[in-house]
Amino acid sequence: MDKLKRVLSGRDTEEPSGLAEVIESTSLGWGTRVKGFIACFAIGCLCSLLGSCLLWVPKKGLVLFAVFYTLGNIASIGSTLFLMGPMKQLKRMFEPTRLIATIVMLVSI
């Protein structure tokens, strides 16, 4: 479990420096990160499910589906920011091996 925490928080390959200690002391604790991830992911799933249910509403169903499904996807993707941190998440999303998948996902949203 400790290794998983180190990998997800980005401390697996780096040696701690003065700046890293300052950033680490001002960041969220592991328990808070997990709670934020669960809450944000649950909201994302709920919005996506609600969007799928609202698809069958007459006349405005497609618009409601698009709005709620998009918000659900953004919230679900944003939930991983709690575990990894925003900068590390963006760096990993735009790595050469993931660049095409990231672009396709962002264009689809």
Side-chain angles (χ1 to χ4, degrees):
M1 187 69 168
D2 291 333
K3 182 171 180 161
L4 179 63
K5 288 180 185 178
R6 283 194 313 264
V7 169
L8 290 176
S9 66
R11 291 181 274 152
D12 190 35
T13 58
E14 301 173 4
E15 292 184 14
S17 63
L19 181 60
E21 290 177 12
V22 170
I23 291 172
E24 187 176 317
S25 68
T26 59
S27 66
L28 298 174
W30 181 251
T32 307
R33 287 176 182 252
V34 171
K35 289 175 188 173
F37 166 76
I38 291 171
C40 200
F41 189 74
I43 290 169
C45 289
L46 183 66
C47 284
S48 295
L49 185 65
L50 182 62
S52 296
C53 292
L54 291 175
L55 179 62
W56 307 109
V57 173
K59 295 185 181 179
K60 294 193 178 206
L62 289 176
V63 173
L64 291 172
F65 167 76
V67 169
F68 279 102
Y69 199 75
T70 301
L71 289 175
N73 283 331
I74 291 171
S76 295
I77 292 169
S79 68
T80 59
L81 295 176
F82 284 100
L83 294 179
M84 299 175 68
M87 291 308 295
K88 188 170 184 180
Q89 174 74 17
L90 289 174
K91 286 179 185 176
R92 284 199 174 172
M93 282 176 66
F94 290 101
E95 286 177 351
T97 57
R98 298 177 179 174
L99 185 61
I100 294 173
T102 300
I103 291 172
V104 168
M105 184 264 315
L106 291 175
V107 168
S108 296
I109 289 179

